[in-house]
Amino acid sequence: MTSKDVKNELTEEFSGIKYILTSGMRSRLLLAIYENPKKLDELRGELHKPSATILHGLKELENINLVRKVQKSYELTSNGFLLTANMIKLIENWYSINKDKSFWNNHDLSGIPDELLKSIYLLKDAEYVNSTTSDLSNAFNTYIKLLSTAEKLKIILPIYSENHFRHLIELLKGKKLRNLELIISEEIYHSIRNNDLFSQEILESDKVQITCVEKSLKIFLTCSDEFVSLSLFFKDGHYDDAQILIAKDKNAQKWALNLAKKYNGGEKDEISTI
């Protein structure tokens, strides 16, 4: 299939999606019967619309094989279920992006693989934390405070920051942090090795595992059982230490671990474990 064929097919499919999304009634009907089949009177009570309007919408959805009537109830066909499931993801993705648009709008997203950008909805409960002119260290201090709660940490660290390393060393010397996995570039690895303190306390620690990646990294991701945090680079290549997303729910943790996995084993030819 040529790129022109793919483009034509996508254009055709978009027409079908547009048909659903441009009608509030058709969309609401699909969502209303997504989890369970419903009778007309149930739909009338839930949607607060007259029977004639609901029946018209149901007929339109039946005509394109998204809904079927079984006895007195209306349910989704297999096609209807798949389309509605993806429509829900689209809505949740839109909500997540719009809720934290100050975070997503101005940053370089190239460090996040496409399949994970498509599941941004898993971060819908994340909290956006930013520094202000009256508190320039708010984001950093919030992050450091969270680090102290973790027993295990997995960090994609794209910058050589003595401040960050000193805090990690302090945690490694304590009793709470039992394991630290660092995913860093070769350049940062050599910088750590050239610092006597960092080399001894990080590279030689039996609590630390280093994964070294050839290419430079464009995301700062921290995963633990207690929290997930994400910060990014500006589009001009400078790291933004003033804005961070923080989440403490299982969905965000699932997203973050999948992202970390892409860098810790997802590209074998570029990765070596120290």
Side-chain angles (χ1 to χ4, degrees), residues 209-246:
Q209 179 183 331
I210 304 285
T211 298
C212 196
V213 183
E214 289 182 5
K215 63 183 180 182
S216 60
L217 299 164
K218 295 185 179 181
I219 58 169
F220 190 153
L221 180 76
T222 302
C223 309
S224 79
D225 291 337
E226 292 74 26
F227 77 97
V228 165
S229 72
L230 175 69
S231 51
L232 298 168
F233 285 71
F234 289 118
K235 293 177 181 178
D236 64 5
H238 290 89
Y239 173 65
D240 179 11
D241 62 357
Q243 299 181 74
I244 187 170
L245 280 187
I246 294 171

Side-chain angles (χ1 to χ4, degrees), residues 1 5 41 67 76 86 94-95 219 228 246 267:
M1 185 179 289
D5 291 334
D41 59 340
V67 168
L76 296 178
N86 282 283
W94 178 261
Y95 169 79
I219 58 169
V228 165
I246 294 171
E267 301 172 24

Side-chain angles (χ1 to χ4, degrees), residues 6 9 34-35 50 63 73 130 157 191 199 207 242 260 262 270:
V6 171
E9 190 171 321
Y34 175 66
E35 293 185 350
N63 289 339
S73 294
N130 69 312
L157 186 62
S191 296
S199 180
K207 291 183 177 181
K262 292 291 181 181
E270 295 192 352

Side-chain angles (χ1 to χ4, degrees), residues 150-154 176-180 223-226:
E151 294 184 7
K152 295 188 295 182
L153 287 169
K154 184 190 294 284
K176 188 164 181 108
L177 183 61
R178 295 184 287 105
N179 180 259
L180 170 63
C223 309
S224 79
D225 291 337
E226 292 74 26

Side-chain angles (χ1 to χ4, degrees), residues 68-80:
R68 65 183 169 216
K69 187 177 183 182
V70 178
Q71 295 180 347
K72 294 184 178 181
S73 294
Y74 294 89
E75 64 180 24
L76 296 178
T77 63
S78 295
N79 285 347

Side-chain angles (χ1 to χ4, degrees), residues 147-168:
L147 283 184
S148 66
T149 67
E151 294 184 7
K152 295 188 295 182
L153 287 169
K154 184 190 294 284
I155 303 176
I156 299 176
L157 186 62
I159 56 172
Y160 179 80
S161 165
E162 292 196 357
N163 207 1
H164 280 84
F165 286 128
R166 290 185 189 280
H167 281 285
L168 288 175

